[in-house]
Structures are given as structure tokens and as C-alpha cells.
Amino acid sequence: MNKKYIAPSLLSADFLRLGQEIKDVEKAGADILHLDIMDGHFVPNMTFGPFIVKQIKSTASIPLDVHLMIDEPQKWIGTYIDAGADFLTIHFETDPHLNRAVNEIRKYGKKAGVSINPSTHTMLLEYVLEYVNLVLVMSVNPGFGGQKFIENSFKKIEWLNNYREKHQLDFLIEVDGGVNENNIKPLSDAGVDIFVAGSAIFSKSDYGEVIKKMRENL
Ligand code: DX5
Ligand code: ZN
């Protein structure tokens, strides 16, 4: 079995105690930290920018997975890489020049990801799949934590997994939104490599216990 990664989304963390929250999820067995950047334009919510990413980088000991939910992401690639992104993901819906953006991220030596909203067909990614390191399937409408998983995301994951096998590509498949210890097993079977979970982890008092359960269910 390929390695599977658990990526807590800090969106559901307590930001007044962010440093401690990061230490706690790392100790609990997180593999990657997922950071949601929202601009109030592409999605109806705002979070934080490069300044906070840089501070997170200075304390984190696991890779940072930066999920840009912003318009005109290409203007910000260099900034988020300087801030410490190890994976940098932009949305298909925000950039008509995905090929250029993905190549730019990879030129910095970082992992390039593309993400699609729930209503966007995976087929639209066909001509960029050979260049990306990661495809992030949004399984809720982006903008908020704690929403219900959209079931037809399974179809997209299966499509990507089949395409990957058929064309012998090596991009990772990541799922984000409504992931919990109950649906992690079928998602893993469908081909997911990276599981983002916000509320399912941070709403519990013992992060180690949830992450352990998730891993046992994989
Ligand atoms: C939503 C974000 C997610 C969010 C997931 O737009 O991209 O990363 O934090 O939260 P949960 O796991 O609570 O659905
Ligand atoms: Zn996210």
C-alpha cells in the first residue's frame, strides 16, 4: 500500500493558541499541516495570509500544504513559497493559465497542486495531470469547515485514480471537506492519499485518539 497522509486543517484550530495547537497535532501523529487561504472573493470567507504562514513555518516540523482559495493566485505563488509552502495548491476555477502556474511552482522545487470545486468535472484537468504533484478534490463547497461531505466526490476520486493508473502518473490525490473517521476507509479504497480533516480532529479533546482511529481505518 502507498503511504497515506493525515493533514489536519488549521481552519478549525483555536487561533489564540495556534502554536500549541500545531505542537499538539504534530504530537498526535499528523503528517502534514493543511492551511486554508481565503480572500473573500473566490470564497465567501477570509482567513490569513503569508505573514501567518511564515510564522507557522517557523514552528512547524512537518510539511505545510497551502490551499489557495483566492482569485489571481499566480500573483502570489512566489510570496507563499517564500513564506514556507511545501505543497502549493491553486484552484482550477481561478486561473486560465494552470499549466504556467504549475510549472512556476515546480521551478521553485515545491509540490504543485490543482484543486477543483464540487461542481467542476475532473475531465477538465486532463491536460494538466501529467505536470502536477497533487490533485485536491473539494468535497464541500470551499469557504468553511464543518460542512457535510458531498457523496459524488467518490466518482471524481475514482476517475482520477483510474486515470493515474492508466497513464502511469504519480500525482497524489487529496480530499478536503467533511472527512472523518467513518468515511476515511472508503475514500482510501477509492484512491485518496492525503486526507484533510478540520472539524473531525479539532472538535475532539484528544487529537491523538482521532488520528489513531483514522489511521486504523485506512
Ligand atoms: C474548506 C477548507 C477545508 C476545511 C475542511 O474550504 O478547504 O480545508 O478546513 O474542514 P472540515 O474537515 O471541517 O470539513
Ligand atoms: Zn482546504
Side-chain angles (χ1 to χ4, degrees), residues 23 31 63 77 118 127 130 136 142-143 159-160 165 180:
K23 286 201 171 62
D31 300 298
I77 289 172
Y127 294 107
E130 65 190 281
L136 197 177
W159 189 97
L160 287 164
E165 263 176 47
N180 55 48

Side-chain angles (χ1 to χ4, degrees), residues 9 11 34-38 67 69 136 138 174 176-177 196:
S9 164
L11 190 61
H34 184 83
L35 310 186
D36 291 300
I37 313 297
M38 305 184 188
H67 177 194
M69 284 162 278
L136 197 177
M138 280 310 302
E174 179 172 25
D176 183 5
V196 177

Side-chain angles (χ1 to χ4, degrees), residues 18-81:
L18 193 54
Q20 190 58 47
E21 292 277 66
I22 291 168
K23 286 201 171 62
D24 289 348
V25 281
E26 285 181 348
K27 205 168 144 221
D31 300 298
I32 294 172
L33 286 176
H34 184 83
L35 310 186
D36 291 300
I37 313 297
M38 305 184 188
D39 66 352
H41 290 274
F42 176 58
V43 288
N45 197 4
M46 291 177 95
T47 54
F48 52 88
F51 173 74
I52 302 283
V53 174
K54 201 170 179 173
Q55 296 206 14
I56 293 172
K57 185 69 180 179
S58 73
T59 187
S61 54
I62 55 177
L64 302 189
D65 172 30
V66 177
H67 177 194
L68 294 182
M69 284 162 278
I70 62 174
D71 281 335
E72 300 191 289
Q74 66 281 4
K75 288 188 178 166
W76 294 93
I77 289 172
T79 308
Y80 280 98
I81 283 174

Side-chain angles (χ1 to χ4, degrees), residues 145-156:
Q147 302 179 78
K148 192 175 172 307
F149 182 88
I150 297 172
E151 286 297 324
N152 65 17
S153 310
F154 274 104
K155 262 168 98 172
K156 295 175 157 192

